[in-house]
Amino acid sequence: FYTPEGLVDYMVSYIRDRFTPQSILEPTAGDGRFVPALREFGADISLAEFQENKAKKLLDSFGMECTVYCCDFIQHSLDTDKTYDLIIGNPPYIAKKNVPEEQCESSEKILKHFNLDKSIFQNLWVSFVLSSLKLLTTNGSIFFVLPFEFLQVQYAEKLRAFLETKFNTIEIITFEERIFEEIEQDICLVYLSNEPQAKA
């Protein structure tokens, strides 16, 4: 389910008020709906997409201005040394039991990279958060649409504790109304950053 355009605009304006990134990654690019709003930063934009047909459409639409990767983003994060100032998007919410074996293997590798227990990987969005952390510049930011379980379930509690050791600024935005009307999925926005002047 693609991110509503109003939420995309809100997220980009939220970033605009914080800093101006020089390099941006959208790790689940889909139809590229973040690109028009992100153009305003004049940054280098990279898009990652798992499905080949969608990656081809992204290349056709944005190939002149963006770098497009057709890849398993989690494995890609393990294979590259490239880093980004801003990683923004809406990672997939897929329970571990429904994740393809190859992505389970790459997810376990990213957990091992950070010396985290395998029990934390119960949903694919966890792997996207950790893979993004690996590709982040020192003072960079991650801004994701995450399921509300980020604030509720036990494995997410372990992840939150780990993220608190990596970032000096963690902001969570919740909504009274359902953002994705097509599905019964409550979400929150999670902003992770190491800001020079962190709030107490």
Side-chain angles (χ1 to χ4, degrees):
F1 290 89
Y2 291 132
T3 312
E5 291 186 6
L7 190 59
V8 170
D9 291 340
Y10 174 83
M11 293 174 72
V12 173
S13 66
Y14 191 90
I15 295 297
R16 188 191 309 124
D17 292 339
R18 312 302 286 257
F19 76 115
T20 302
Q22 300 301 307
S23 54
I24 301 172
L25 171 65
E26 214 285 67
T28 52
D31 63 356
R33 62 181 51 203
F34 274 87
V35 174
L38 292 171
R39 282 186 184 124
E40 68 174 72
F41 294 118
D44 292 328
I45 301 175
S46 294
L47 308 173
E49 174 53 47
F50 184 64
Q51 296 183 29
E52 191 173 337
N53 62 325
K54 291 182 180 179
K56 186 179 184 305
K57 289 180 180 178
L58 289 169
L59 197 58
D60 291 342
S61 299
F62 305 110
M64 295 293 289
E65 57 184 313
C66 302
T67 301
V68 178
Y69 299 99
C70 180
C71 62
D72 168 4
F73 172 65
I74 304 157
Q75 186 60 50
H76 177 71
S77 75
L78 293 162
D79 294 338
T80 184
D81 292 325
K82 187 170 173 57
T83 57
Y84 302 88
D85 296 333
L86 173 63
I87 302 178
I88 188 170
N90 181 7
Y93 314 158
I94 304 175
K96 181 181 179 180
K97 63 182 180 180
N98 297 322
V99 174
E101 186 176 348
E102 286 186 4
Q103 283 188 302
C104 282
E105 290 174 0
S106 55
S107 292
E108 290 185 1
K109 288 177 185 175
I110 195 69
L111 285 163
K112 188 175 181 180
H113 175 81
F114 288 112
N115 295 314
L116 291 169
D117 192 272
K118 290 181 181 180
S119 64
I120 294 178
F121 171 52
Q122 297 298 325
N123 197 297
L124 197 57
W125 66 262
V126 172
S127 309
F128 273 73
V129 172
L130 294 173
S131 297
S132 298
L133 173 58
K134 182 181 180 297
L135 302 186
L136 203 62
T137 56
T138 302
N139 293 320
S141 299
I142 297 171
F143 199 16
F144 273 172
V145 183
L146 294 181
F148 202 75
E149 66 187 46
F150 177 77
L151 300 172
Q152 297 174 315
V153 296
Q154 188 173 10
Y155 72 85
E157 184 179 348
K158 294 178 182 177
L159 176 65
R160 293 199 311 272
F162 170 71
L163 293 173
E164 286 172 6
T165 70
K166 297 293 182 180
F167 295 100
N168 65 24
T169 301
I170 298 177
E171 298 179 1
I172 299 168
I173 302 159
T174 60
F175 302 89
E176 292 183 359
E177 299 179 0
R178 181 162 286 157
I179 301 299
F180 294 90
E181 297 179 358
E182 309 94 333
I183 52 173
E184 293 185 8
Q185 175 70 68
D186 291 323
I187 60 101
C188 57
L189 299 182
V190 178
Y191 176 77
L192 308 167
S193 187
N194 280 307
E195 300 194 349
Q197 301 296 325
K199 297 176 182 177

